[in-house]
């Protein structure tokens, strides 16, 4: 599906999955959020084949989640690094929500592999907040279609 055909897809979840829903895409983003920028870093961390990694990186670049920047080591050919865009940084919330769900619903006996903390060192968690800043439990959320259909 090309980006122009995404305009025909009404469901925002379906559109998002087109970009990040392929196997490995969220794991690539996890590594990018942890500082990986180079092809070999992603490949080593994930153990994914070069063909699949190249395809996933190309999709993430095409949709503005990552940006490609050239670099050249002395005596080597030009290569590219991959950096999170603002759009890609926004996906840290998605990764955090998946990790939070996994820690709660599929816990490891040793406890969480990663803890997310605020700059003050306090543990953080993701939740719904209404416009007044009050927390709303997921079971109380109602989805309403908008008039822009």
């Amino acid at each position: 599906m090309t980006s122009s055909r995404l305009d025909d897809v009404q469901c925002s979840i379906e559109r998002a999955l087109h970009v990040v829903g392929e196997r490995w895409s969220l794991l690539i983003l996890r590594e990018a959020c942890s500082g990986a920028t180079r092809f070999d870093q992603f490949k080593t961390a994930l153990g994914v084949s070069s063909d699949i990694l190249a395809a996933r990186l190309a999709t993430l670049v095409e949709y503005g989640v990552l940006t490609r920047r050239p670099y050249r080591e002395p005596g080597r050919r030009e290569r590219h690094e991959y950096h999170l865009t603002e759009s890609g940084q926004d996906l840290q919330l998605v990764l955090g929500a998946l990790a939070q769900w996994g820690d709660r619903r599929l816990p490891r006996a040793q406890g969480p592999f990663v803890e997310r903390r605020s700059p003050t060192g306090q543990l953080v968690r993701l939740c719904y907040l209404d416009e007044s800043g009050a927390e709303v439990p997921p079971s109380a959320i109602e989805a309403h279609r908008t008039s822009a259909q």
Side-chain angles (χ1 to χ4, degrees):
M1 183 180 293
T2 63
S3 57
S4 62
R5 289 201 48 217
L6 280 181
D7 292 339
D8 298 334
V9 178
Q10 290 185 8
C11 177
S12 53
I13 294 171
E14 185 178 348
R15 288 193 313 276
L17 286 175
H18 174 73
V19 178
V20 299
E22 293 283 343
R23 182 164 184 202
W24 300 108
S25 296
L26 290 175
L27 297 175
I28 290 167
L29 291 172
R30 177 196 68 194
E31 294 305 315
C33 289
S34 296
T37 59
R38 295 186 175 181
F39 190 92
D40 288 342
Q41 290 174 315
F42 292 114
K43 186 168 175 25
T44 299
L46 300 172
V48 61
S49 76
S50 295
D51 290 347
I52 290 174
L53 178 57
R56 298 303 173 265
L57 288 169
T59 297
L60 294 170
V61 168
E62 177 186 354
Y63 287 96
V65 175
L66 296 174
T67 186
R68 272 177 32 147
R69 297 182 195 160
Y71 76 94
R72 182 189 306 265
E73 293 176 350
R76 306 288 307 255
R77 67 180 173 87
E78 182 177 275
R79 298 178 185 266
H80 291 93
E81 292 182 322
Y82 298 87
H83 295 270
L84 290 167
T85 62
E86 185 177 339
S87 173
Q89 290 170 359
D90 285 349
L91 285 166
Q92 289 185 57
L93 290 171
V94 174
L95 295 173
L98 283 171
Q100 184 172 298
W101 181 86
D103 289 343
R104 182 171 180 206
R105 300 297 180 183
L106 305 168
R108 293 177 356 127
Q110 312 89 314
F113 185 69
V114 172
E115 291 181 335
R116 286 162 176 75
R117 295 185 176 270
S118 71
T120 62
Q122 293 188 341
L123 286 171
V124 296
R125 64 185 171 82
L126 292 161
C127 63
Y128 285 105
L129 299 177
D130 68 16
E131 290 176 339
S132 71
E135 187 173 337
V136 180
S139 60
I141 300 297
E142 299 175 0
H144 296 269
R145 293 194 186 267
T146 66
S147 59
Q149 294 180 29

